[in-house]
Amino acid sequence: NHSVETLHATSLHDQSIENDCNKPMAVYKGKYRVKSTRLPNRDYGANGWYFVTICTRNQNSFFGEVIEGQIKLSAIGKIAQQFWAEIPDHFEDVYIDAYVIMPNHIHGIVIIDKSNSPSRDVACNVSTISYEDDVYRARSQMSPKAGSLSVIIRSYKAAVSRWCKTNGYSSFSWQPRFYDHIIRTDGSLDRIREYIVNNPAKWEEDKKLPANLWM
């Protein structure tokens, strides 16, 4: 069973991951407008373990708050958590490992494990209703067809956004694109899991030093 759920990193200060999530949007757009954040020769549908970070627009704390090292999810945060946990239900050969919903961002490990797909061992960083009826319609936005990491994350973001719009949270929005790090088979998986698990405990420190929000 690939799934490991957590709602609770030490900052590992891996300089290979930039602090793009916390840069002003003008800088973000200026940096990425000329060149795509997706590497042109990389197959993001290939097998691999991906460390993904998704941020809310302007770092707004839509998902809840951290109290005494524990994340207390808002209504939007609970939906963000539920839909993340359900990603494998919508994509064949896709699994999730450790993840955490933070007030203004999500960290998670997504696993693509197709039987006839090559694997990747390369590190890189890129930015890449009634209640029941509402949930059903929002889930339907998560495409069931197997696809690349970008399709998975785009579908997830669309599902959360649709739920928010339908349920009166029209101010909610995501930061464009997302960021991923292909996890090597060199022991870094355990370090990334530790980072994710400890994220809420480090929130007070990290929010004062935005660079710490990234490994």
Side-chain angles (χ1 to χ4, degrees):
N1 186 353
H2 291 280
S3 178
V4 178
E5 177 179 344
T6 178
L7 286 178
H8 300 292
T10 52
S11 297
L12 303 181
H13 302 293
D14 183 343
Q15 296 302 313
S16 65
I17 300 182
E18 299 182 16
N19 183 32
D20 290 315
C21 182
N22 299 285
K23 292 182 179 180
M25 287 302 295
V27 174
Y28 171 86
K29 290 182 179 179
K31 180 173 182 180
Y32 290 109
R33 185 176 298 279
V34 175
K35 184 177 180 180
S36 172
T37 60
R38 315 310 297 170
L39 298 183
N41 298 319
R42 185 171 302 284
D43 177 9
Y44 283 90
N47 286 351
W49 290 54
Y50 300 87
F51 174 45
V52 175
T53 298
I54 316 172
C55 302
T56 61
R57 185 180 291 274
N58 299 326
Q59 301 176 57
N60 288 322
S61 295
F62 289 114
F63 298 138
E65 58 183 332
V66 175
I67 302 175
E68 297 182 347
Q70 300 290 322
I71 181 69
K72 304 298 181 183
L73 295 175
S74 64
I76 300 175
K78 290 177 181 178
I79 287 298
Q81 178 192 1
Q82 177 182 333
F83 286 6
W84 186 269
E86 292 175 352
I87 285 175
D89 297 338
H90 302 276
F91 294 92
E92 186 177 2
D93 301 321
V94 173
Y95 310 90
I96 58 170
D97 196 84
Y99 70 89
V100 63
I101 312 296
M102 294 297 290
N104 59 13
H105 64 279
I106 297 170
H107 289 310
I109 296 173
V110 176
I111 306 157
I112 299 176
D113 188 20
K114 300 175 184 177
S115 59
N116 296 314
S117 178
S119 61
R120 294 283 182 181
D121 182 20
V122 182
C124 79
N125 308 293
V126 292
S127 64
T128 64
I129 13 184
S130 70
Y131 178 79
E132 291 77 13
D133 289 340
D134 282 350
V135 170
Y136 176 82
R137 284 200 286 268
R139 287 175 183 169
S140 71
Q141 296 301 303
M142 302 179 73
S143 172
K145 56 187 178 181
S148 66
L149 181 65
S150 61
V151 170
I152 295 167
I153 300 304
R154 183 169 65 247
S155 298
Y156 169 75
K157 292 171 70 175
V160 175
S161 294
R162 180 177 176 85
W163 185 92
C164 289
K165 181 178 180 180
T166 304
N167 287 275
Y169 299 100
S170 58
S171 63
F172 174 81
S173 61
W174 296 101
Q175 177 170 308
R177 298 183 174 88
F178 66 96
Y179 309 95
D180 69 84
H181 173 77
I182 300 176
I183 303 172
R184 299 182 187 220
T185 55
D186 62 355
S188 61
L189 175 60
D190 287 339
R191 293 190 297 109
I192 292 171
R193 283 172 170 161
E194 180 184 5
Y195 179 88
I196 293 170
V197 168
N198 291 327
N199 217 232
K202 300 290 290 183
W203 174 247
E204 290 301 321
E205 175 184 339
D206 288 349
K207 72 179 182 179
K208 296 175 184 177
L209 297 171
N212 287 353
L213 292 178
W214 284 80
M215 290 176 57

